Amino acid sequence: MSSVHGSPPARVTALPANQPRQFYRGGASIAALRGGGHDSEFGPEDWVASTTARFGHDESGLSRLPDGRLLRDAVSADPRAWLGAEHTSTFGDSTALLVKLLDAGQRLPVHCHPDNGFAQQHLGSRFGKTEAWIVVGTSGPNPVVHLGFRDDVSPETVAEWVRTQDSTAMLGSLNEIPVKPGDTVHVPAGTPHAIGAGVFIVELQQPTDFSITLEWRGFLSDAESAFLGLETATALETVNRTRFDDALLSSLIKRTGDAGEGRVPLLADDAAPFFRADRLHGSAELDPSFGVLIVLDGSGELHCAEGSPLQLNRGTTAVVPHAAGATRIEGDLTTVLCRPPSAGSHA
């Protein structure tokens, strides 16, 4: 595996949990998956192979390799080895991907994320924050997610809900969608949404931490932190106020739990310009690519052209560099492979 300027080579690497403290509760399902203790009830997100820092922070949220380097710095030092020439020609040294395990111990607030254009204009970033959810576990009597307004909503109505912090109206205006393991939801930037208590997901995102938190009272300290420091009127420009009807919802949601083939593409077609994800059952051949691998069940090995196989067990999370070449998963296991968009299909 290649390296430049004396930097350590890019290798397939298992990563420990990386759970920066959040404002909402959760994390027990992450601990159960990983087989470890649950240190904090405010560790509901495990940022896996993250080169993205939390908004307003220098390093919180960034993943570290076992040798102590930040993965972000390792990728920046040798982007072609980590990401491949085709990827870097489009995205530079950005992985163009953020993956999380997210365990909602309580309902998340109603919020949305800016799109690329808004992020470029107001936040100095080429990436907004489109995301997708892969449901891997549920608990409680009514596991649901909330996605998009059921009816068109005027800008004045949204502004009034936000001004008065009318949680009942905000949540009640959204489509409520029951979910079970294997369900996936594509969440375009601008879509108002919330994840319900007891929903455990693998979350793919564009590599930013930009959230416009419409329902902030009871969750965040003040409106300033809810709107990324932007004026309220500017922040609310991000909200998609149009109706999400049944046809639109059906284009965003896939039910893959009963799909038993060896490789199951998980995400809606509209997700392809932003990220890719597959569920793999048993042995599988993987083409060269930067990827994030999460083992949901079973055990096995990841074989590369060079070096010893990486042991894979339930709860293992690993980063796979492009320089690993064609790799092979062997064993009786179920994994989720998350990848950036192909360079030719990016948004």
Side-chain angles (χ1 to χ4, degrees):
M1 299 182 192
S2 64
S3 62
V4 295
H5 309 306
S7 60
R11 295 189 183 280
V12 173
T13 305
L15 298 170
N18 173 33
Q19 294 169 265
R21 183 181 175 88
Q22 304 293 333
F23 63 84
Y24 67 98
R25 295 188 300 275
S29 292
I30 297 173
L33 177 69
R34 286 189 169 277
H38 184 33
D39 295 334
S40 169
E41 65 174 341
F42 292 96
E45 299 179 7
D46 184 349
W47 295 33
V48 184
S50 168
T51 59
T52 301
R54 293 171 60 213
F55 182 78
H57 293 258
D58 292 331
E59 293 190 0
S60 179
L62 296 173
S63 294
R64 286 192 181 274
L65 296 169
D67 63 11
R69 290 179 300 156
L70 292 171
L71 176 61
R72 179 193 64 187
D73 295 345
V75 172
S76 180
D78 198 357
R80 289 188 62 159
W82 281 97
L83 307 173
E86 186 178 13
H87 180 104
T88 56
S89 69
T90 301
F91 298 107
D93 65 359
S94 172
T95 64
L97 178 68
L98 174 59
V99 177
K100 299 176 183 176
L101 296 169
L102 188 154
D103 172 35
Q106 65 180 102
R107 178 181 67 80
L108 274 64
V110 177
H111 63 290
C112 69
H113 307 293
D115 63 16
N116 291 353
F118 185 96
Q120 289 164 6
Q121 182 177 356
H122 296 285
L123 298 166
S125 169
R126 71 175 291 181
F127 295 107
K129 192 180 171 187
T130 286
E131 63 187 39
W133 310 328
I134 302 165
V135 180
V136 296
T138 57
S139 61
N142 187 35
V144 298
V145 298
H146 307 267
L147 187 74
F149 290 129
R150 292 200 314 273
D151 298 293
D152 292 343
V153 180
S154 71
E156 294 79 14
T157 297
V158 172
E160 181 66 9
W161 287 344
V162 170
R163 186 186 70 80
T164 60
Q165 284 298 286
D166 191 339
S167 294
T168 300
M170 281 190 267
L171 192 68
S173 69
L174 301 178
N175 292 287
E176 183 178 283
I177 302 161
V179 292
K180 61 185 183 300
D183 291 349
T184 74
V185 182
H186 179 56
V187 188
T191 306
H193 62 274
I195 298 171
V199 178
F200 181 31
I201 64 174
V202 174
E203 185 172 37
L204 292 86
Q205 307 175 341
Q206 291 182 281
T208 72
D209 188 35
F210 299 146
S211 291
I212 304 298
T213 309
L214 307 177
E215 181 195 4
W216 57 264
R217 184 172 293 157
F219 292 94
L220 301 175
S221 58
D222 53 43
E224 183 177 359
S225 60
F227 301 136
L228 304 174
L230 300 168
E231 295 291 334
T232 300
T234 302
L236 295 186
E237 292 174 11
T238 62
V239 183
N240 182 351
R241 297 175 288 96
T242 60
R243 175 189 179 203
F244 276 47
D245 60 16
D246 289 345
L248 178 55
L249 290 173
S250 68
S251 74
L252 301 175
I253 298 166
K254 291 182 70 172
R255 312 283 188 178
T256 75
D258 294 332
E261 55 265 35
R263 187 174 192 134
V264 179
L266 292 175
L267 304 181
D269 292 344
D270 288 350
F274 300 96
F275 25 62
R276 296 170 285 172
D278 298 280
R279 185 172 65 243
L280 309 173
H281 294 285
S283 299
E285 304 282 340
L286 308 183
D287 294 332
S289 173
F290 177 84
V292 178
L293 193 67
I294 298 169
V295 183
L296 299 181
D297 203 12
S299 61
E301 295 179 333
L302 180 63
H303 293 260
C304 307
E306 300 178 24
S308 302
L310 179 69
Q311 297 298 312
L312 301 175
N313 299 291
R314 172 179 159 86
T316 297
T317 56
V319 60
V320 181
H322 188 280
T327 56
R328 186 175 76 258
I329 295 173
E330 293 185 357
D332 182 11
L333 71 173
T334 301
T335 57
V336 173
L337 174 65
C338 306
R339 292 177 293 162
S342 63
S345 67
H346 76 284

